[in-house]
């Protein structure tokens, strides 16, 4: 087996394990949902079969008994219980451990618990056989003669006939021979179509249900013939699809009607490294396209202008397509949080509800990956420190079950992710006292409530009285802050005593390419993310003087703070005679940025600043312009925050 094939199996297996875990958690609230039961069974069956095919024998052996148990649930012979779901989740964890090369021994204890549970009387009584019902297929009958042929286009859709043959061999198949009757002449042969069928014999103890199970994912356009060999009396034929008929019976899907809807789109798995490389190449293409446009503008040649515009259109389309490939909905990581809440319910003795809003909100895959651990820290803290015990909540007039809510929404060029709980909230006085104890704040320092709450994001800060397995060691919140800042985002803490805490994280949609507004300040060029630009106005004459101390503009009957970027950047020389104000937004807040000249919009490839310059909060990165020079990218959220802080200080 090639390394690539094994790596692909591991990726698919982990995704199957995640799907299995999500299905089990859904079954906890909807145990009667047959669709969920079928989905869990399919995931178990596929993971077991794939594991056997790729040499993970221990995995396949371990999952076999769990597959049998959920098959009993699917057939109504055993009820879905909390104990079964808990065992299933632990089995899912052990399956992931086996995939990573862990020991198989712990699985024996799980299998013993499963055996005890199944034999413990929780199962509903089996329904009595209906009068006239057919007996079990394998009861005293002869062997099966079997022939099957898959859909001609099954290879294109990802089917693997060798996997089916291996499963049939595991059932005891013998006399396995190919059937070449449908093989066309060489000139008519299409390499991506399957023309071969197979004939074989199966032992009589194998049931028809077990045979159907092998073809669970290949039923479309399947041709399957089953014939019982005589066990004494004349031959009797059992059809896989009613009604029975003389001779071999075809178990096939109904012919596709002429107006049948098209099949689902074929999905392809691509390693993340290839997407990253593709994004880098597209970024270089955008820079080259900008350089070409710059050169063509100097020549003025009409034919070159037409070609440059066509290349620009193609580059823009490729950029948008590549960006859409990289975008991932936030629900790709929420399943692990649901599992965490399930485990915390038992570990903390609390009743916790987990709600998600805006699961379809998409972010760059890199942002999603880096965001998973910080959110895990926040959820643990909310569950351990934020939410009260049921009796405490009841005494306070709250529902016994506490709620942790994760929400995501778009806000201009950003995504705002909020984690909120309805717990006890944060004690501002206690936070201040602990900060003074640790030397983070001088006793005489004046801090408003927002600045005090932000102290919980400092390294090593904790107000927990005791250290638990979950939290209280002063690690976690600083990791959250560091990760959010690494992603060029901001974090804000809000809390109301007795009502709960909300933590807002503002993150950029992407870390690669954006549309930017190119401006000039004191002869230097800077880029402002175009999605953050609300509108552009000319700086009123009464504010244009350098010594003017005004800090607000009246824009559409609203006062908007503005920053004189020349002063902020320490630029020398007189300003341009007709300065412009770019009104930029970050969430609900706005700020005006005065610039000397608006150059125009352009595609901006974001390059990270060097470690020497990474501490400069005014800039979020840099980009290469068409003439090869570098323009710094202004960090709008930081500038908005600076404007708000300055205005609040002046008001005080």
């Amino acid at each position: 087996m090639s390394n690539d094939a094994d790596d692909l199996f591991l990726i698919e297996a982990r995704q199957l394990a995640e799907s299995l875990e999500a299905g089990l958690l859904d079954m906890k609230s909807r145990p009667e949902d047959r669709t969920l039961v079928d989905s869990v069974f399919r995931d178990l069956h596929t993971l077991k079969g794939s594991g056997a095919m790729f040499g993970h024998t221990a995995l396949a052996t371990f999952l076999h008994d769990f597959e049998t148990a959920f098959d009993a649930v699917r057939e109504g012979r055993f009820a879905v219980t909390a104990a079964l779901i808990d065992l299933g989740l632990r089995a899912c964890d052990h399956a992931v451990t086996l995939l990573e090369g862990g020991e198989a021994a712990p699985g024996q204890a799980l299998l013993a618990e499963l055996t005890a549970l199944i034999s413990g009387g929780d199962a509903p009584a089996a329904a009595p056989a209906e009068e006239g019902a057919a007996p079990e297929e394998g009861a005293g009958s002869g062997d099966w003669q079997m022939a099957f042929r898959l859909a001609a286009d099954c290879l294109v859709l990802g089917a693997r006939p060798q996997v089916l043959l291996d499963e049939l061999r595991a059932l005891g198949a013998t006399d396995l021979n190919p059937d070449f009757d449908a093989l066309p002449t060489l000139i008519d042969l299409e390499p991506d179509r399957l023309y071969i069928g197979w004939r074989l014999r199966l032992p009589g103890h194998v049931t028809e249900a077990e045979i159907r199970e092998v073809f669970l994912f290949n039923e479309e356009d399947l041709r399957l013939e089953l014939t019982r060999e005589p066990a004494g009396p004349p031959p009797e034929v059992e059809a896989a699809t009613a009604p029975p008929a003389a001779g071999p019976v075809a178990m096939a899907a109904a012919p596709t009607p002429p107006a049948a809807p098209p099949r689902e789109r074929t999905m392809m798995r691509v390693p993340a490294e290839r997407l990253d490389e593709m994004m880098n190449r597209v970024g270089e293409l955008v820079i080259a396209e900008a350089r070409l446009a710059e050169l063509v503008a100097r020549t003025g040649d009409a034919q070159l202008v037409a070609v440059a515009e066509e290349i620009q259109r193609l580059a823009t389309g490729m950029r948008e397509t590549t960006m859409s490939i990289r975008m991932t909905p936030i629900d790709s990581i929420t399943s692990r949080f649901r599992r965490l809440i399930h485990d915390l319910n038992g570990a903390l003795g609390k009743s916790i509800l987990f709600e998600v809003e805006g699961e379809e909100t998409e972010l760059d895959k890199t942002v999603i990956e880096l965001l998973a651990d910080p959110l895990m820290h926040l959820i643990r803290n909310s569950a351990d420190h934020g939410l009260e015990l049921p009796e405490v909540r009841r005494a306070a007039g709250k529902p016994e079950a506490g709620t942790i809510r994760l929400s995501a929404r778009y806000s201009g060029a950003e995504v705002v992710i909020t984690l909120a709980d309805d717990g006890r909230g944060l004690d501002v006085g206690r936070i201040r006292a602990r900060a003074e104890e640790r030397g983070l704040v001088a006793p005489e320092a004046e801090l408003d409530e927002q600045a005090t709450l932000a102290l919980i994001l400092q390294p090593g800060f904790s107000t927990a009285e005791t250290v638990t397995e979950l939290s209280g060691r002063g690690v976690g919140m600083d990791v959250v802050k560091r990760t959010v800042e690494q992603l060029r985002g901001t974090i804000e803490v809000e809390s109301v005593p007795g009502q709960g805490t909300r933590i807002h994280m503002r993150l950029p949609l992407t870390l690669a390419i954006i549309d930017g507004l190119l401006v000039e300040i004191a002869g230097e060029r800077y880029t402002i993310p175009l999605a953050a630009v609300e509108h552009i106005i000319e700086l009123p004459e009464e504010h244009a003087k350098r010594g003017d101390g005004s800090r607000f503009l009246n824009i559409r009957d609203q006062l908007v703070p503005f920053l004189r970027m020349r002063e902020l950047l320490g630029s020398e020389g007189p300003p341009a005679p007709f300065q412009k104000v770019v009104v930029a937004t970050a969430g609900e807040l706005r700020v005006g940025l005065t610039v000397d000249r608006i150059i125009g919009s352009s595609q901006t490839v974001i390059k990270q600043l060097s470690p020497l310059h990474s501490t400069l909060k005014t800039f979020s990165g840099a980009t290469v312009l068409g003439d090869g020079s570098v323009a710094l990218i202004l960090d709008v959220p930081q500038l908005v925050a600076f404007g708000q802080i300055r205005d609040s200080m002046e008001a005080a």
Side-chain angles (χ1 to χ4, degrees), residues 501-519:
T501 303
R502 292 179 298 279
I503 297 179
H504 307 283
M505 291 172 285
R506 296 184 178 276
L507 300 161
L509 282 172
T510 178
L511 302 177
I513 303 176
I514 60 172
D515 287 319
L517 178 68
L518 195 62
V519 301

Side-chain angles (χ1 to χ4, degrees), residues 38-241:
D38 291 341
S39 175
V40 167
F41 176 79
R42 282 196 301 270
D43 287 340
L44 277 168
H45 179 74
T46 306
L47 190 55
K48 182 196 80 169
S50 299
M53 176 185 172
F54 282 86
H56 290 263
T57 309
L59 174 68
T61 303
F62 170 72
L63 291 178
H64 175 75
D65 288 345
F66 278 92
E67 180 191 21
T68 302
F70 278 91
D71 191 29
V73 172
R74 190 173 62 148
E75 295 177 357
R77 294 185 283 109
F78 193 82
V80 175
T81 63
L84 180 63
I85 291 174
D86 185 63
L87 267 176
L89 290 170
R90 290 161 59 195
C92 191
D93 292 341
H94 185 61
V96 173
T97 300
L98 292 176
L99 285 170
E100 296 172 350
E103 294 292 330
Q108 298 303 316
L110 288 175
L111 293 176
E113 289 186 52
L114 179 66
T115 301
L117 178 65
I118 297 295
S119 60
D122 289 338
E130 296 181 7
E131 187 176 349
E136 177 67 21
E137 300 97 318
S141 301
D143 289 348
W144 293 100
Q145 287 288 348
M146 175 179 164
F148 74 92
R149 186 177 298 277
L150 301 177
D153 60 351
C154 68
L155 299 177
V156 178
L157 300 176
R160 298 179 179 178
Q162 67 271 26
V163 176
L164 305 181
L165 296 176
D166 287 342
E167 291 195 37
L168 291 170
R169 290 190 184 97
L171 292 177
T174 57
D175 299 337
L176 182 60
N177 293 296
D179 178 1
F180 299 110
D181 290 349
L183 194 66
T185 60
L186 184 60
I187 193 171
D188 295 325
L189 190 143
E190 298 180 32
D192 60 352
R193 297 183 72 81
L194 181 66
Y195 300 101
I196 304 174
W198 285 270
R199 297 183 180 278
L200 62 140
R201 177 194 297 267
L202 284 168
H205 64 80
V206 177
T207 65
E208 185 177 321
E210 290 176 309
I211 297 173
R212 285 176 177 271
E213 201 175 284
V214 172
F215 300 96
L216 190 63
F217 304 108
N218 297 274
E219 294 178 342
E220 189 169 356
D221 295 335
L222 170 71
R223 304 293 300 180
L224 178 62
E225 296 178 357
L226 287 174
T227 307
R228 277 289 189 193
E229 290 185 341
E236 181 178 321
V237 175
E238 293 196 17
T241 56

Side-chain angles (χ1 to χ4, degrees), residues 195-340:
Y195 300 101
I196 304 174
W198 285 270
R199 297 183 180 278
L200 62 140
R201 177 194 297 267
L202 284 168
H205 64 80
V206 177
T207 65
E208 185 177 321
E210 290 176 309
I211 297 173
R212 285 176 177 271
E213 201 175 284
V214 172
F215 300 96
L216 190 63
F217 304 108
N218 297 274
E219 294 178 342
E220 189 169 356
D221 295 335
L222 170 71
R223 304 293 300 180
L224 178 62
E225 296 178 357
L226 287 174
T227 307
R228 277 289 189 193
E229 290 185 341
E236 181 178 321
V237 175
E238 293 196 17
T241 56
V249 178
M251 188 176 79
T256 305
R263 291 187 179 133
E264 294 183 2
R265 293 175 295 175
T266 303
M267 304 297 289
M268 180 181 295
R269 302 187 189 278
V270 179
E273 295 80 7
R274 295 186 183 179
L275 288 180
D276 292 336
E277 177 63 22
M278 184 178 179
M279 193 71 252
N280 291 335
R281 297 295 178 89
V282 170
E284 296 301 321
L285 175 63
V286 168
I287 294 174
E289 180 272 321
R291 293 184 62 190
L292 176 62
E294 183 94 11
L295 293 172
V296 169
R298 295 176 188 172
T299 64
D301 187 288
Q303 291 184 337
L304 286 178
V305 169
V307 172
E309 289 177 350
E310 180 67 12
I311 291 176
Q312 183 181 34
R313 184 184 65 81
L314 293 173
T316 301
M318 183 172 289
R319 185 202 73 170
E320 292 174 352
T321 301
T322 306
M323 293 297 298
S324 68
I325 294 174
R326 288 175 60 94
M327 300 302 280
T328 305
I330 199 170
D331 67 0
S332 61
I333 59 173
T334 54
S335 59
R336 68 188 74 177
F337 304 145
R338 294 171 58 209
R339 174 63 190 278
L340 174 64

